[in-house]
Amino acid sequence: MACPMATVPVSNPSDTMLRSDDARNRCTHALKDARFQLVNFSDNELRVSLSNVSLSDEGRYVCQLYTDPPQEAYADITVLIPPGNPIIESREDIVREGNETEITCTSMGSKPAATIRWMKGDKELQGKSKVEATYDRMFTVTSWLRLTVMREDDGVPVVCIVDHPAVKDFQTQKYLEVQYKPEVTIKVEFPQGLIREGENLELTCQAKGKPQPHLVNWVRVDDDVPSHAVITGSDLFIENLNKSYNGTYRCVVSNSVGETYADYILYVRDAAPSTEAAAHDSQAGPEAQRLDHAVIGGVVAVVVFAMLCLLIVLGRYFARHKGTYFTHEAKGADDAADADTAIINAEGGHNNSDEKKEYYI
């Protein structure tokens, strides 16, 4: 605090007065308070400091200058009290997947009241807060956060952040511990690719859960596991496969939270041809192709020849019957014994031309 020099009393809400007397060039305390210290004393300024500030020092400070006319200035001092370390608590330390939990964060002894925010990972969550004033004009803030947890939340920190004018980055956190049912997958150790008769099969059941799964069981859906199958822990081994082993094989895993399973569908195909048979087929391939081409060519030749023969026969048939027809005029001539009789019969036919007529359309 600073004031121009003259006879200057400076008072605070507790009426502690620091007085400057220009004539004697000295400062005296009207009331004893060692926390007030003189910082600067000059012709135009009187500056004092106050150490070890407490809440009782809050209020209005007045600087009076006894001139003609008198002058006065004042400053309102607000004392900030930072909160204590925030306290974070949860309703239960371990939560099962899908259940709701509640986390509480408390900030005590601050002025003004603090503000509490929540973060889960990099996502801000909304909580509910309550502010309570204490007898010494300070505040306690309590915030509650309710959330439903999933397996992805296991190990994720929930952070309580306290915002206050007197402090920065004031926070505390609690890591979520979530229990969940096992996650199950089946891995084919061998064979790779298509499975054929005579091969061996090995499956491994891989499970992850919290707590760690403690029971692994192999079953065959709608049938029994082959009698010679070997089950060792999470592994299933079947040798010398055949098609009767086709079906769904299930790995069932459980922990204290629950039970889960994964299925593997076995489909055994025919055995692959032997190496010698495959080599023989490869060598005989070109000759077989040549033989196939010859057979096809012979069939085509026979078909073409048959069609040509049919065309020739039909052509001769139609040629022989082309233009052959009878008229009524010559009907009697065909049955005559000689030419004269034929002419007479033909002429006689003309006599009846009125009765018998031939039409051409």
Side-chain angles (χ1 to χ4, degrees):
M1 292 174 288
C3 288
M5 281 302 298
T7 301
V8 183
V10 179
S11 62
N12 70 356
S14 300
D15 291 331
T16 299
M17 183 178 296
L18 178 65
R19 186 183 64 202
S20 173
D21 189 342
D22 189 33
R24 292 181 297 172
N25 195 25
R26 63 183 183 178
C27 292
T28 60
H29 286 288
L31 296 177
K32 295 182 178 180
D33 191 337
R35 296 180 303 149
F36 283 99
Q37 299 294 326
L38 179 63
V39 176
N40 184 37
F41 185 79
S42 64
D43 292 339
N44 58 2
E45 182 184 63
L46 173 65
R47 184 184 297 272
V48 296
S49 67
L50 176 63
S51 61
N52 195 19
V53 178
S54 66
L55 186 59
S56 61
D57 297 319
E58 184 176 78
R60 174 166 294 186
Y61 287 75
V62 181
C63 174
Q64 295 176 333
L65 181 61
Y66 291 151
T67 59
D68 188 15
Q71 300 181 43
E72 181 179 276
Y74 62 86
D76 291 320
I77 304 299
T78 300
V79 177
L80 301 179
I81 301 178
N85 292 329
I87 301 172
I88 189 168
E89 298 175 317
S90 61
R91 188 170 58 193
E92 54 268 312
D93 292 332
I94 301 175
V95 190
R96 289 194 174 186
E97 180 182 24
N99 290 347
E100 184 183 74
T101 187
E102 183 178 276
I103 303 176
T104 304
C105 184
T106 304
S107 172
M108 296 185 295
S110 66
K111 184 181 179 298
T115 302
I116 294 179
R117 296 182 293 119
W118 293 95
M119 297 287 293
K120 187 185 76 171
D122 56 355
K123 181 180 180 181
E124 185 168 353
L125 304 179
Q126 187 66 38
K128 293 184 178 180
S129 299
K130 181 178 70 173
V131 179
E132 295 178 316
T134 61
Y135 68 94
D136 52 359
R137 294 190 295 163
M138 292 189 290
F139 298 91
T140 295
V141 182
T142 305
S143 181
W144 296 271
L145 175 67
R146 292 183 178 179
L147 69 160
T148 301
V149 298
M150 305 302 293
R151 64 184 61 196
E152 295 81 8
D153 296 325
D154 184 49
V156 175
V158 175
V159 184
C160 168
I161 304 173
V162 178
D163 294 327
H164 191 272
V167 292
K168 293 182 179 180
D169 299 327
F170 209 33
Q171 63 184 35
T172 186
Q173 63 185 16
K174 182 177 181 61
Y175 290 91
L176 294 173
E177 186 171 351
V178 182
Q179 291 187 341
Y180 52 90
K181 294 191 297 184
E183 297 176 344
V184 185
T185 57
I186 296 177
K187 179 183 178 182
V188 181
E189 300 293 347
F190 59 82
Q192 301 298 323
L194 299 179
I195 299 177
R196 300 187 180 276
E197 289 184 313
E199 295 180 333
N200 298 333
L201 173 69
E202 183 175 354
L203 304 177
T204 299
C205 184
Q206 299 176 330
K208 175 187 176 183
K210 191 170 184 178
Q212 187 65 26
H214 59 270
L215 182 61
V216 178
N217 187 30
W218 282 98
V219 297
R220 185 180 179 186
V221 179
D222 299 330
D223 208 341
D224 295 330
V225 175
S227 57
H228 68 283
V230 178
I231 299 177
T232 306
S234 60
D235 296 336
L236 171 65
F237 177 78
I238 307 175
E239 63 178 359
N240 194 20
L241 294 171
N242 60 62
K243 293 185 178 181
S244 66
Y245 299 155
N246 287 346
T248 301
Y249 292 80
R250 176 170 294 174
C251 171
V252 183
V253 182
S254 62
N255 61 8
S256 61
V257 180
E259 182 178 275
T260 317
Y261 64 85
D263 290 341
Y264 173 80
I265 299 176
L266 174 63
Y267 181 75
V268 180
R269 292 170 170 79
D270 294 331
S274 63
T275 305
E276 294 180 359
H280 177 72
D281 292 343
S282 176
Q283 294 174 359
E287 296 180 1
Q289 291 179 357
R290 286 194 294 271
L291 180 60
D292 292 340
H293 294 165
V295 172
I296 294 173
V299 172
V300 172
V302 170
V303 172
V304 172
F305 179 74
M307 293 180 66
L308 290 174
C309 292
L310 180 61
L311 291 174
I312 292 172
V313 171
L314 292 175
R316 291 176 62 85
Y317 174 80
F318 286 117
R320 292 182 61 183
H321 293 80
K322 181 178 180 181
T324 304
Y325 65 92
F326 296 98
T327 66
H328 291 287
E329 292 82 355
K331 189 175 182 180
D334 286 340
D335 298 330
D338 50 32
D340 294 334
T341 305
I343 294 172
I344 294 172
N345 291 340
E347 290 176 353
H350 285 288
N351 294 331
N352 300 326
S353 60
D354 294 335
E355 299 176 0
K356 298 179 181 180
K357 297 181 180 181
E358 187 175 34
Y359 297 93
Y360 296 92
I361 298 175

